[in-house]
Amino acid sequence: MLALRLTRGAHPAVQLRRLLVAAASAGTGFLLLSALGYAMSHPDSPAAATLRLAWCAPPLAATIHLAVAVARTDPGTRPRPGLAAAGLGPGRLMLVSATTTALSCLLGSMLALLVFLHLRGDLTGMPFDGDASQFLAADSPLPLPAALTLLALTPALASAAVAMLLRPRLAAPATTKAKARPYGRFGVSGRSADRETFGAYGRFGARLRDAVRGGATTPDTASAASQNGSGPQAPAGAPAPAPAEEDGSRQTPDDLAHFPVPRKPPAGLPWGITILTAGLAVETYAGRVTADDTLALPTALPTGPTAVLVGWVLAAVGLALAAPGLAHLCGRVLQAVRPGPLRLLAGRGLMAEATRIGRPLGVVCAVAAAVYAMAPRPDSAATAAIGPLSALGATVVAGATVTTLFMAALEARQARADTTAALLRLGAPTAMLRSSAALRAGVLLAVFGPLTLVVAELAALPLAAR
């Protein structure tokens, strides 16, 4: 009951995100049922029916990607001490997220089934009864097991993906560290057990302030002084001085004006560039070589060799893999050459969010390039208008990928909420934080916009003369 109340009593914005998942699931389910209707009305063309079913894979993948992004940004399913005490630990919350995702997708699938039956003419009493009866094989009885199997694909795969990505992970076993030597830092032999950033050592004069207050020493300096024979000697029988505290707690690297920047950049940049180049090369070669095997794209879109589609897939995968590395590189370039506070904050924030923002941004760029390449040209042989199913598929893919990018931006904002609050407590102006966010968005747009146009133009070249 508590899990149901957490799901039902969510914020309206969270419910809106779940409705977006349901809408994407409804579009995908209708496309799957339309492929079933085409197979029923054309029993002598199994290859064409299989091809229509295969074209439902991009909307299905985009819907699952959106469902995972919405589940990751759901504030009601985050592990919290109070929920763990009530029996909702990380594992139970993962099940709640997977169940919520399955219910959202199931709602969309049921809506798709109702619309499909209505357009077939099976449900009467509403407008547009039987308008697509010939296209959806209204003269044949609908095989209910096949329809339910297709409609169950989206909820099952989406909930499984959410459960896989949000599953509780065991903490890595602690390794035995060498005993730290009681020496200082900055080039002296020995290292402290807890790593600190450069600015954390002397931030706000914490060490100097402790030295001024009655000569209090930390355990490291006291042990070093006792070994060297220097420092103040406590009288006999006097209690040992208490270790000094730095304003109550040690400042972690996430405090104040410090983003948790990854030490290593994302490792997908070389692989992404290689796969992207290979995909463009395959497209160019397939466009020059006359091939007998052509692959029909949906409705009025141009046709071309099967190798062109293979090249498109490789280029899209390469662009998605290279995007996090490119975003990390943009952040590094942004804070190069004596940066000011604004460029430093924007660059470090972009480096920290490179993986979280770069992956959905790369997918959006790949979808935009594919839509541009597959759009019919005025001088091409295909002059008919794009059909409703093609428009629905493109809308589902484009809408789901763009919404996923916004969800990733929201997740990044939630991840840096503590850092933003610390900056505001230190007196950082709100305008600087907004300018930093605008600078990050502008740099990403300036880099990925021309890159998408170049990839789109190169992808459209093999079909330009057809």
Side-chain angles (χ1 to χ4, degrees):
M1 296 299 297
L2 181 58
L4 181 61
R5 293 180 62 182
L6 286 175
T7 304
R8 187 166 53 96
H11 194 270
V14 179
Q15 302 290 3
L16 178 61
R17 300 172 207 163
R18 295 170 182 170
L19 289 179
L20 291 177
V21 175
S25 176
T28 304
F30 188 82
L31 291 175
L32 291 171
L33 292 177
S34 300
L36 176 62
Y38 182 86
M40 293 168 54
S41 59
H42 299 80
D44 54 344
S45 303
T50 304
L51 182 61
R52 284 179 174 267
L53 185 61
W55 277 111
C56 298
L60 179 61
T63 302
I64 295 174
H65 196 198
L66 174 62
V68 171
V70 170
R72 288 172 62 93
T73 57
D74 192 349
T77 57
R78 291 181 178 177
R80 284 172 286 181
L83 295 180
L88 288 177
R92 189 68 61 85
L93 289 179
M94 179 268 295
L95 294 179
V96 172
S97 299
T99 304
T100 304
T101 302
L103 290 177
S104 301
C105 296
L106 188 61
L107 175 63
S109 298
M110 292 299 102
L111 180 61
L113 180 60
L114 291 177
V115 174
F116 182 79
L117 294 177
H118 176 64
L119 294 179
R120 272 174 51 95
D122 297 338
L123 301 179
T124 58
M126 297 178 63
F128 307 104
D129 286 332
D131 283 357
S133 57
Q134 296 181 355
F135 179 73
L136 300 179
D139 54 345
S140 302
L142 180 66
L144 191 58
L148 294 180
T149 300
L150 290 177
L151 291 176
L153 284 177
T154 305
L157 295 178
S159 59
V162 170
M164 181 64 65
L165 293 179
L166 298 184
R167 69 187 187 278
R169 294 174 174 83
L170 296 177
T175 58
T176 304
K177 296 183 179 180
K179 185 177 180 181
R181 300 174 189 170
Y183 297 101
R185 305 180 57 183
F186 305 120
V188 189
S189 60
R191 248 181 215 181
S192 61
D194 299 331
R195 286 185 67 90
E196 295 177 343
T197 57
F198 181 85
Y201 182 81
R203 192 172 286 142
F204 302 115
R207 312 281 177 152
L208 181 61
R209 184 170 59 249
D210 292 338
V212 172
R213 294 177 182 174
T217 58
T218 61
D220 291 342
T221 55
S223 59
S226 62
Q227 291 182 4
N228 296 334
S230 58
Q233 301 292 333
E245 296 181 356
E246 299 180 6
D247 295 339
S249 63
R250 178 185 293 273
Q251 296 171 346
T252 61
D254 292 344
D255 294 338
L256 312 176
H258 186 87
F259 278 92
V261 180
R263 298 181 182 179
K264 294 182 180 180
L269 182 58
W271 286 103
I273 295 177
T274 303
I275 296 176
L276 175 61
T277 306
L280 295 177
V282 169
E283 293 175 14
T284 305
Y285 179 77
R288 294 180 179 179
V289 177
T290 303
D292 297 334
D293 55 334
T294 59
L295 182 66
L297 301 181
T299 316
L301 300 183
T303 59
T306 308
V308 174
L309 180 61
V310 174
W312 284 353
V313 173
L314 290 177
V317 172
L319 192 58
L321 286 178
L326 290 176
H328 190 276
L329 184 61
C330 290
R332 186 174 294 276
V333 172
L334 188 60
Q335 57 178 341
V337 191
R338 301 180 64 182
L342 181 61
R343 284 200 297 129
L344 183 63
L345 187 62
R348 293 180 71 85
L350 192 57
M351 290 173 63
E353 301 165 1
T355 302
R356 183 180 289 112
I357 296 293
R359 290 175 180 173
L361 181 59
V363 174
V364 169
C365 294
V367 169
V371 169
Y372 179 84
M374 295 170 61
R377 300 292 186 268
D379 54 348
S380 62
T383 57
I386 297 179
L389 293 182
S390 300
L392 177 61
T395 302
V396 170
V397 173
T401 51
V402 173
T403 308
T404 303
L405 179 60
F406 282 111
M407 292 296 103
L410 178 61
E411 184 183 3
R413 181 181 179 182
Q414 293 175 354
R416 64 171 183 269
D418 295 338
T419 302
T420 303
L423 287 171
L424 293 177
R425 287 196 303 268
L426 287 175
T430 308
M432 186 183 70
L433 300 179
R434 295 176 180 175
S435 301
S436 174
L439 183 58
R440 292 196 300 268
V443 168
L444 291 178
L445 183 61
V447 172
F448 284 91
L451 177 62
T452 304
L453 291 178
V454 170
V455 174
E457 287 288 346
L458 294 177
L461 284 179
L463 302 179
R466 295 182 180 272

